[in-house]
Structures are given as structure tokens and as C-alpha cells.
Amino acid sequence: MNSENFSLSEKIVSSSYVRQGLQARRGHEQLIRVLLEQGKCPEEGWHESTIELFLNELAVMDSNNFLGNCGVGEREGRVSSSLVARRHFRLIHGIGRSGDIAAIQPKAAGSSLLNKITNSVVLDVLKFTGVRSASSCFVCPMATGMSLTLCFLTLRHRRPEARYILWPRIDQKSCFKSMVTAGFEPVVIENILEGDELRTNLQELERKIEELGAKNILCVHSTTSCFAPRVPDRLEELAVLCAKHDIPHIVNNAYGVQSSKCMHLIQQGARVGRIDAFVQSLDKNFMVPVGGAIIAGFDEAFIKEISQMYPGRASASPSLDVLITLLSLGASGYKKLLSERKELYGHLAHELKALAEKHGERLLHTPHNPISLAMSLNSLQGRSDKAVTQLGSMLFTRQVSGARVIPLGVEQTVSGHTFQGFMSHANSYPCPYLNAASAIGITKDDITLCMKRLEKCLKSLKKEAPVEINESASPCEGLDDQTVP
């Protein structure tokens, strides 16, 4: 309804009523105008009716929704199922063109605008969550592992002689495979034990730079968010080393956007040294379906290079999902979720510590990890070798998802490399343990129910109840992906 149609409506319905409707319509349009003008996440969340109006307006700008369109090409936005069309708000053309995922599509002005606005809103979120000097980003329609691969493939063109990627160890398969898939040889830098924490071995990393030669190293691949007792890498020191030796630096910030500490580490690393790009998951940070990541950095030219490396067009679903979510929450709503997560981290630590002490265990001291916690399981290990893994199975069958039970001495081969003590980020961590995390969206009820079920399992095992093993459940549920426990 434009102003002319509203004027015509006054001939049918009382003009006072029509003017009231016009004012309501202008309220929606004002919000959309500010979004297009500023390109920032609105401070207050939008009503769903405003979001739907905006998306419908974008959809009618795409050629597949033109009333008189006659398509004779092989890709004309045709969709057989009306349910599928509605699921995507009739935004069918995806994003980008064959040569650049960020390019404008002549046949899809609405989808192209969606892509640009989403990238701008997401950049604003990265800035107000802590990385203030980030200059560019884009939503990549691949999860974190493949998005890291895209970064490595882009660096290949800048450093054609490079063969190696220096990687402070984190026992998570997809970030290791991201390097192998890109055709490089990961050089695993074992962590060092400081108290209960596993921390970056800077001396060993620098020794490897001298041994291999800086020109033969594609980059340093560091990590922020991780499972305790590993803690975020020493990003500032790594960034200084990378600047000193002129080596690129890619940061796996998988679920770090929700942590002010992780974001601060990236900001400081970029300030004092070198960080070329940092990659974060959409689903783990913004509570949307799996399938997207944000690739961000401090040099617009390099981030553009990465987007141009993506072959072909791409799905708009990840961009659409995160834009709808951020418009719904608004900046204030998202910040509230971050604040609640941080507060519940303290509550989870308190409850887990009390439960550990009650059963002769202890909460491992990992103050540098702002999301994940770990509780020792020495008493179970003393009972039998199977008791630790049995606890994992028991929790899974009792619908406690995401809890990770880490036994001692697991050997695992990933893409040809054999890890000792796999899942514990070290060859021989001193004790078995259980992980739990306070991630965005967690509630106090989740923690209460988890502690109740965990205590029942521990009591059952202490009574030496018959072994209860669910053959279909992994005792370390969640290890093969990057999801927060």
C-alpha cells in the first residue's frame, strides 16, 4: 500500500480509519528506513509483522516473483513446493554470483540487498560484542570447519611455497580436518600444563617457525573458545609472533562471540600484532540452524579475497536466519542473552563445585576459560576402567545432552595423524573429567536438572549397579562436532 492506494481507500472506508492505518504502516516503514540507512542492528527488537513486511518487500524485488516474468534460463528461481517457497519467504535465488559470493545478482535485487544488510548488521554485532576495530565480514553458507578451509585456500595464493600450518592442539576433528582438506600439513603444537589449565606453548611454536622457515608456513591457526581444561590460546603473544615473522594468523572463534573475554582477546591481538581473519559459527552464537559461519577481519581487501574464493552462488538460508534472529532480538535483546549466559556460568560453576566436593571430586581450576567447566572423575577411574565411559552413556540415556565425559588414554587417528589422550587436548592429562558449559540460551532450569541427573548417576555408579551401556550412544557425545556442550 503506497500513499496513492491509501488515498483511494478513503473513498471506501472512513478517512480517519485509513489515516490511522497509514500511520501504523509508516511505523513499520520507519524501522526499515533506519535499518537501510544505518546498516546496524536495531537497539530494540522488531515485531514479527515488521520483519515479515520487510522480507516480503525484498522478495517482490526478485525476478522469480515478478508478476509478468518469463524465464527461459536454467536457473529462474522455480520452486515446485509452495511449502518450500514459504519456508524461504520466496527468496529463492540465493546470494552471490559464480565469481563472488558477495556480488550483486541482476535477477535478484531483493536477495542481494538481504545479503548486504545481513553482513552489515553482523559486523555491527561483532563490534559491540568486543572486536571494535573489525572492518569487514560476510556470512558464509558453510559451518566453521569449511569456512576455515576457505580461509586457508585463499592464503595459498598469497603464499604459494607454504606447506605447513602451525596449530596449538585442540582435540576437535573439524578444525584439524579443515587444514588437511585445504591440502596443508598441520604441525601440532602440544599444550603445556599450568595448574589444571592447558595453555599455548609459545616457545615450541617459535622453535617450529625457526625450524621450518617462515616462508614455508601458511599461517598460525589459533583457537579461542574451547572445552576446559584447555583455555583460549595466548592470542596477543601469538599475534606478536606472527607480525614479527610475517606469518598470517587465522583464529577459530567458533563460539567465542558470546564471550566478552574471547572477543577482547581478538581485539587485543589485532591491536598489538597480526590477525588476518577470525571465524565464528552462526548456530552456536546466534541460536539458528546449523550451516553458516561469519568470516571477519581487519583488512577489507583480504576478506573480499576470501569471499571471491567461494565457487558459485550460495544458499541465502544462513543469512536469512541470522538476520531474522537479530532483528527479532535487537541489540538490547542479544546483549541481555550474553549477560544471562555470563551470570549462569557462575551459577553452573558453583553447583558443579558443590556436587564435585560431595562426591570426593573437584572442579578443575580453569579461570581463563569463560564458557566451559570441568569436574574431575578420579573416584570413578579408581573403581574400574569402564566406569568413566559408563557415566557418559548413563547421562546420554537420561537426556543430558552435551555433557562430555573424558577418559584417560584414548588413542584416535584423524586424517592420518594419531593423537594420544584424544579429547583431553594433551597426551596424558592427569585425570579423567566431565565437561559442562554455560553457552548462550542456557537456563537455570537446565543447570538444576543436569545436576540432579548427574548426582543420581554418580550415586548409582558408587553402588556398583549393573553396567548400563547404550550401544547407540557415545560416552563422549558431541566430540565430533564443534557444538558447545
Side-chain angles (χ1 to χ4, degrees):
M1 294 282 284
N2 55 29
S3 57
E4 183 180 356
N5 287 337
F6 272 107
S7 296
L8 292 171
S9 299
E10 291 180 359
K11 297 178 181 180
I12 305 170
V13 178
S14 171
S15 60
S16 62
Y17 299 156
V18 171
R19 283 196 296 272
Q20 189 177 33
L22 176 59
Q23 289 172 357
R25 168 79 184 207
R26 284 174 176 168
H28 294 293
E29 292 177 342
Q30 172 66 9
L31 293 172
I32 295 170
R33 185 187 66 77
V34 172
L35 174 66
L36 295 173
E37 205 172 60
Q38 299 180 355
K40 293 183 177 181
C41 186
E43 184 60 30
E44 300 298 328
W46 288 8
H47 191 273
E48 284 186 7
S49 59
T50 308
I51 298 172
E52 289 177 347
L53 174 64
F54 179 48
L55 295 177
N56 286 330
E57 293 282 353
L58 292 180
V60 298
M61 296 170 67
D62 284 3
S63 63
N64 61 292
N65 298 312
F66 293 174
L67 294 179
N69 187 61
C70 175
V72 293
E74 85 291 349
R75 178 186 283 126
E76 297 298 329
R78 302 183 182 105
V79 176
S80 174
S81 169
S82 61
L83 181 61
V84 171
R86 292 197 305 275
R87 175 185 175 234
H88 294 276
F89 287 88
R90 295 177 292 115
L91 293 159
I92 310 301
H93 280 281
I95 58 174
R97 302 187 74 182
S98 58
D100 184 355
I101 198 177
I104 303 298
Q105 289 190 64
K107 289 193 291 188
S111 293
S112 298
L113 186 55
L114 167 77
N115 189 26
K116 296 293 185 182
I117 287 294
T118 301
N119 291 342
S120 181
V121 168
V122 167
L123 180 61
D124 180 49
V125 173
L126 294 180
K127 288 182 176 182
F128 74 61
T129 51
V131 188
R132 297 180 304 278
S133 59
S135 63
S136 182
C137 78
F138 69 95
V139 172
C140 183
M142 302 186 294
T144 311
M146 285 302 295
S147 294
L148 287 166
T149 296
L150 194 65
C151 295
F152 302 142
L153 291 171
T154 305
L155 285 174
R156 182 194 293 277
H157 293 273
R158 291 191 171 194
R159 301 172 74 84
E161 296 181 17
R163 289 180 52 201
Y164 306 103
I165 296 177
L166 301 188
W167 180 64
R169 176 176 172 178
I170 174 169
D171 289 354
Q172 198 284 319
K173 292 180 182 178
S174 66
C175 54
F176 185 82
K177 293 172 75 173
S178 70
M179 299 177 282
V180 176
T181 301
F184 295 96
E185 183 178 330
V187 177
V188 181
I189 307 297
E190 293 291 341
N191 300 302
I192 55 175
L193 187 64
E194 295 183 5
D196 289 331
E197 294 183 327
L198 289 166
R199 308 209 66 185
T200 316
N201 190 336
L202 295 168
Q203 291 73 25
E204 176 63 13
L205 189 136
E206 189 158 27
R207 190 186 71 78
K208 280 294 182 182
I209 293 174
E210 299 295 339
E211 176 188 323
L212 299 172
K215 69 176 183 179
N216 296 315
I217 298 170
L218 182 81
C219 66
V220 170
H221 176 192
S222 63
T223 303
T224 53
S225 53
C226 54
F227 298 119
R230 196 193 190 280
V231 300
D233 281 318
R234 299 180 188 271
L235 246 61
E236 290 184 50
E237 293 90 336
L238 288 175
V240 169
L241 277 176
C242 288
K244 174 184 174 182
H245 295 281
D246 192 26
I247 296 173
H249 184 186
I250 304 295
V251 179
N252 175 8
N253 188 44
Y255 47 98
V257 178
Q258 61 191 279
S259 163
S260 57
K261 182 176 287 188
C262 290
M263 298 300 273
H264 177 72
L265 286 173
I266 294 171
Q267 174 64 30
Q268 288 299 100
R271 185 182 67 83
V272 302
R274 177 171 181 174
I275 292 178
D276 294 74
F278 56 105
V279 180
Q280 37 274 308
S281 163
L282 286 183
D283 62 281
K284 289 187 282 291
N285 292 294
F286 299 101
M287 296 186 291
V288 296
V290 172
I294 303 165
I295 299 177
F298 307 90
D299 176 6
E300 285 190 51
F302 180 58
I303 301 304
K304 186 175 181 180
E305 271 187 60
I306 299 173
S307 73
Q308 291 174 336
M309 179 61 62
Y310 189 99
R313 289 172 176 79
S315 170
S317 290
S319 296
L320 183 60
D321 290 342
V322 74
L323 181 62
I324 291 173
T325 300
L326 290 173
L327 292 180
S328 298
L329 288 170
S332 61
Y334 189 64
K335 289 174 184 176
K336 182 182 178 183
L337 285 174
L338 299 185
S339 177
E340 289 172 352
R341 183 213 70 80
K342 194 171 185 178
E343 182 179 336
L344 287 171
Y345 172 85
H347 177 64
L348 176 61
H350 177 269
E351 293 296 306
L352 200 58
K353 182 179 180 182
L355 182 63
E357 291 174 351
K358 186 175 180 180
H359 291 271
E361 302 291 353
R362 66 188 185 89
L363 181 69
L364 301 184
H365 186 60
T366 56
H368 291 96
N369 194 316
I371 298 174
S372 179
L373 295 160
M375 181 186 94
S376 70
L377 296 174
N378 284 315
S379 60
L380 290 187
Q381 182 70 31
R383 175 177 173 254
S384 74
D385 291 338
K386 291 184 178 180
V388 174
T389 53
Q390 186 185 347
L391 174 62
S393 180
M394 291 174 73
L395 288 170
F396 185 80
T397 57
R398 285 159 178 77
Q399 299 180 14
V400 178
S401 61
R404 304 167 72 251
V405 174
I406 312 301
L408 295 177
V410 176
E411 182 179 294
Q412 176 82 49
T413 299
V414 182
S415 298
H417 184 92
T418 299
F419 292 89
Q420 301 296 329
F422 188 70
M423 301 177 294
S424 66
H425 320 289
N427 288 333
S428 54
Y429 193 74
C431 68
Y433 57 87
L434 174 142
N435 277 135
S438 175
I440 190 168
I442 193 173
T443 67
K444 199 168 186 178
D445 287 344
D446 289 330
I447 296 171
T448 301
L449 197 53
C450 174
M451 293 301 108
K452 182 178 179 181
R453 291 175 180 174
L454 174 58
E455 181 161 32
K456 282 186 177 180
C457 290
L458 290 172
K459 285 181 177 179
S460 175
L461 287 170
K462 280 192 172 183
K463 292 177 182 177
E464 297 191 359
V467 174
E468 176 184 342
I469 297 177
N470 178 359
E471 296 295 340
S472 65
S474 165
C476 305
E477 187 266 324
L479 291 179
D480 290 343
D481 52 41
Q482 277 192 192
T483 52
V484 181

